Amino acid sequence: MPRWPTAFAILSFVLAASPASAASFDCGKAQKPDEFAICANPELSDLDVEMATLYGVRMEIPMMMGAKGAAQDEQVAFLQQRGACGGNVACIAAAYRERIATLKQTISGAMQDYCSKIGLC
């Protein structure tokens, strides 16, 4: 059975759900200034959860499975960019918003391609 319906359902949930107010990682294990800032700031925590969820959805889109390595490289680059912000909340928030926009665009493009290929749009 294709995994696409699951990814679509998750994406729909993410886009409709309100933020969770908890980081996507264990704040008890935070070690870096950016991690401490995320754990201490509800807005950053929400952005972190949204980004992590979108990244998870992106990694499950079947027709993008061949590009997992590139997606992982992009995620590492994002984490480096976020880390370079140190504890600067505005910098971290901007990095998250940019990454979230990129992920949404990637997912939306993949959904449009799939929809066109199967003749639903």
Side-chain angles (χ1 to χ4, degrees), residues 79-91:
L79 293 173
Q80 291 171 341
Q81 177 187 5
R82 185 190 80 185
C85 292
N88 183 319
V89 172
C91 179

Side-chain angles (χ1 to χ4, degrees), residues 25 31 42 45 48 51 69 74 97 105 110 115:
F25 57 90
Q31 296 180 354
S45 290
D48 181 70
M51 186 278 309
E74 291 168 4
R97 287 187 183 100
Q105 183 178 27
C115 179

Side-chain angles (χ1 to χ4, degrees), residues 22-61:
S24 68
F25 57 90
D26 183 351
C27 285
K29 295 181 180 178
Q31 296 180 354
K32 299 175 184 175
D34 58 323
E35 294 170 345
F36 289 122
I38 293 162
C39 292
N41 184 298
E43 178 188 2
L44 293 180
S45 290
D46 290 345
L47 289 169
D48 181 70
V49 169
E50 182 178 3
M51 186 278 309
T53 304
L54 287 167
Y55 178 72
V57 168
R58 187 262 172 258
M59 296 303 282
E60 292 298 319
I61 296 174

